[in-house]
Amino acid sequence: TKIKQLEQEAHKAAGQIFMVTSNAQLRTVLFEKLRLHELCENKKLPKTISKQQQSTSEAALLQLQHLHPLPKIILEYRQVHKIKSTFVDGILSCVKSK
């Protein structure tokens, strides 16, 4: 439920629907639509190693979270998603198999 809620909040903050788990789509929203990198004063945002594109890593989102609500929502989404996939799904699969 929390994951769905955060996904809806992300879509609302972005002003469009996009796949929250897609780094490419998130990069498009953050840097092409919202142009948050232009608002980031005196901070060099990380780039991806392979293609030298703007990064959507935790470090980059932490630098952007004060400029717009979307980066903070994405950080929380990733945290909740990781907890679910690491612990909840594993526990449920054990319970279901017994």
Side-chain angles (χ1 to χ4, degrees):
T1 304
K2 183 69 173 175
I3 289 174
K4 291 280 187 200
Q5 175 194 351
L6 289 168
E7 198 171 280
Q8 290 173 349
E9 286 179 29
H11 296 159
K12 185 177 179 183
Q16 70 182 61
I17 294 175
F18 67 101
M19 192 180 309
V20 178
T21 56
S22 167
N23 288 328
Q25 289 183 24
L26 179 59
R27 184 178 298 109
T28 300
V29 172
L30 290 174
F31 303 115
E32 291 178 24
K33 181 180 184 228
L34 299 174
R35 307 193 67 74
L36 294 184
H37 59 294
E38 293 176 359
L39 302 174
C40 198
E41 296 176 6
N42 299 325
K43 293 182 184 175
K44 187 166 176 132
L45 291 172
K47 295 200 180 255
T48 60
I49 294 170
S50 60
K51 296 184 181 179
Q52 288 299 303
Q53 297 175 320
Q54 294 288 351
S55 176
T56 60
S57 68
E58 180 180 5
L61 294 175
L62 286 170
Q63 288 182 2
L64 298 171
Q65 71 178 341
H66 303 294
L67 303 173
H68 193 274
L70 183 58
K72 189 172 182 175
I73 294 167
I74 297 299
L75 287 167
E76 186 176 358
Y77 176 91
R78 287 179 177 177
Q79 181 181 29
V80 172
H81 188 270
K82 183 174 182 174
I83 291 169
K84 179 188 178 294
S85 64
T86 303
F87 299 107
V88 176
D89 292 346
I91 292 169
L92 286 176
S93 68
C94 288
V95 171
K96 288 179 182 177
S97 65
K98 293 182 181 186

